[in-house]
Amino acid sequence: MHIVRFLSILMGLGTVYITYLLGRALFPHTPLIALAAAAFTAFNPMFLFVSAAINNDNLSTLLASLLLLLIVRLIQGVKLSPRFHVLLGVVAGVGMLAKFQIGFMLPLVALALLIASIRAHDWRPVVIGGAISGGLTILIAGWWYGRNYHLYGDATGINVFLDIVGRRAVPADWHQLWTERDTFMMSFWGLFGGVNVPMESGIYSLFNLIAGVSVAGLIFGLL
């Protein structure tokens, strides 16, 4: 268990490093932004807690971050090659095995390939690149979703998961989710144990204040 937990920590470290690379890619002339993004990730108490535990979140977070970096490289005009498309497909495929929610990023991959084709006035990035990366994604992860559908009638297997852990007595609407916003924020910053061991309330207020200043700074920067 200690060996696997150490592997989880290495995955968390990889996520922090890729976050730094993502910041450098988006803001190449402001390295302080990349450093701040990496520090924000690394010192998030919940991220530290999850990174030291055995779960599938650490691998999925690492691969989702890497996939996002590859998408940014695509949009920025990286030199395309079969090797790049293979890397794109492998990361997406293994990510889909780690956690099916990474599938929500696949349309972004397709959009980035389309942008690369339009920019180059060449159909090959979206057609050949899409065939290589998409084919590898299906080859690596498709069997798992096919197996789930064969066994449970649900490709993601989420229905079986909910049958085990329990469902809401009443399906949540937007109003219900809004009333749970404090719990959502607490679980983002740090809600330990089985999400039942909170920090002091003042710490959450401080973190939320930092987040508010950050959002204001982002809006100011965009304007």
Side-chain angles (χ1 to χ4, degrees), residues 144-161 163-164:
W144 172 254
Y145 293 93
R147 176 183 182 275
N148 285 340
Y149 185 80
H150 176 71
L151 291 177
Y152 313 123
D154 176 16
T156 65
I158 192 68
N159 287 332
V160 179
F161 172 77
D163 288 339
I164 295 172

Side-chain angles (χ1 to χ4, degrees), residues 168-179:
R168 288 177 180 263
V170 178
D173 55 17
W174 287 109
H175 178 265
Q176 174 65 28
L177 293 176
W178 176 250
T179 62

Side-chain angles (χ1 to χ4, degrees), residues 6-221:
F6 182 72
L7 178 62
S8 293
I9 292 173
L10 290 180
M11 292 178 187
L13 179 62
T15 299
V16 172
Y17 178 64
I18 293 174
T19 301
Y20 175 80
L21 294 180
L22 188 59
R24 291 304 305 267
L26 292 172
F27 304 97
H29 304 298
T30 315
L32 188 61
I33 292 180
L35 185 62
F40 181 85
T41 303
F43 296 110
N44 179 303
M46 195 64 176
F47 179 80
L48 286 170
F49 174 72
V50 172
S51 294
I54 299 173
N55 52 61
N56 65 329
D57 291 317
N58 296 310
L59 180 59
S60 62
T61 304
L62 172 65
L63 294 173
S65 302
L66 180 55
L67 188 59
L68 188 60
L69 178 62
L70 294 176
I71 291 171
V72 170
R73 301 279 193 210
L74 262 175
I75 295 176
Q76 290 180 336
V78 67
K79 183 178 179 181
L80 297 179
S81 65
R83 180 179 298 180
F84 183 87
H85 297 316
V86 167
L87 177 62
L88 197 61
V90 169
V91 173
V94 177
M96 288 288 291
L97 284 180
K99 209 162 193 178
F100 79 88
Q101 284 90 344
I102 288 183
F104 292 107
M105 298 182 68
L106 298 185
L108 293 179
V109 175
L111 180 61
L113 288 170
L114 179 61
I115 291 174
S117 284
I118 293 175
R119 181 188 293 117
H121 302 287
D122 187 355
W123 55 270
R124 285 177 294 183
V126 68
V127 175
I128 298 179
I132 293 175
S133 58
L136 277 173
T137 301
I138 295 173
L139 182 65
I140 294 172
W143 65 272
W144 172 254
Y145 293 93
R147 176 183 182 275
N148 285 340
Y149 185 80
H150 176 71
L151 291 177
Y152 313 123
D154 176 16
T156 65
I158 192 68
N159 287 332
V160 179
F161 172 77
L162 292 176
D163 288 339
I164 295 172
V165 302
R167 301 172 182 268
R168 288 177 180 263
V170 178
D173 55 17
W174 287 109
H175 178 265
Q176 174 65 28
L177 293 176
W178 176 250
T179 62
E180 298 178 8
R181 63 189 183 278
D182 290 338
T183 306
F184 291 153
M185 292 301 294
M186 290 172 65
S187 63
F188 176 79
W189 295 119
L191 192 55
F192 312 113
V195 292
N196 61 347
V197 181
M199 298 184 287
E200 294 293 334
S201 59
I203 297 178
Y204 294 110
S205 299
L206 175 62
F207 284 155
N208 288 333
L209 176 62
I210 294 173
V213 172
S214 300
V215 171
L218 176 62
I219 295 174
F220 177 80

